[in-house]
Amino acid sequence: MPRLRIAPVTDATIEDWRRAHNVIIPDDPLALDEVRERAGRNHLEVAYADGELIGCSTVRPPRDGSSVATVIVRVLPAYRRRGYGEEMYARSVAHARARSSP
């Protein structure tokens, strides 16, 4: 399994995050402005293996005094069942825990 490169979304990678989201959730496609808005309130990351986009993730911070964050990991169909989602999920959970700690 190639090593993943996972990075926070930037102006250079925001379209990749959008593309992965829209391929995996075709019934609710997002426009670029919608992704920018989400990036302002959530932690978005993209993942690559051997330079190829393999997926994206979202960490929604706790709201309304809660200590519970939401973690969403999306892996493109061609890259599933290789352990990538597990690696992305572990990273996202670690990020959520770090942000949720008092």
Side-chain angles (χ1 to χ4, degrees), residues 5-102:
R5 180 176 67 85
I6 304 172
V9 165
T10 64
D11 287 343
T13 60
I14 197 167
E15 182 59 39
D16 285 346
W17 189 97
R18 185 177 85 91
R19 183 166 32 114
H21 175 279
N22 289 350
V23 165
I24 295 166
I25 307 174
D27 293 342
D28 190 19
L30 296 175
L32 195 52
D33 286 341
E34 292 173 300
V35 178
R36 283 191 181 104
E37 187 273 327
R38 287 178 185 216
R41 58 186 162 88
N42 302 317
H43 180 75
L44 308 182
E45 291 188 326
V46 286
Y48 302 90
D50 288 338
E52 294 292 321
L53 175 67
I54 63 108
C56 65
S57 64
T58 302
V59 177
R60 294 180 188 151
R63 295 194 298 181
D64 302 327
S66 170
S67 62
V68 178
T70 300
V71 172
I72 303 166
V73 172
R74 300 172 192 89
V75 177
L76 292 167
Y79 298 97
R80 292 179 183 162
R81 311 215 45 89
R82 299 183 193 183
Y84 295 137
E86 183 178 355
E87 187 174 339
M88 292 169 64
Y89 180 76
R91 179 182 166 106
S92 294
V93 167
H95 180 84
R97 284 187 176 138
R99 298 294 176 151
S100 298
S101 298

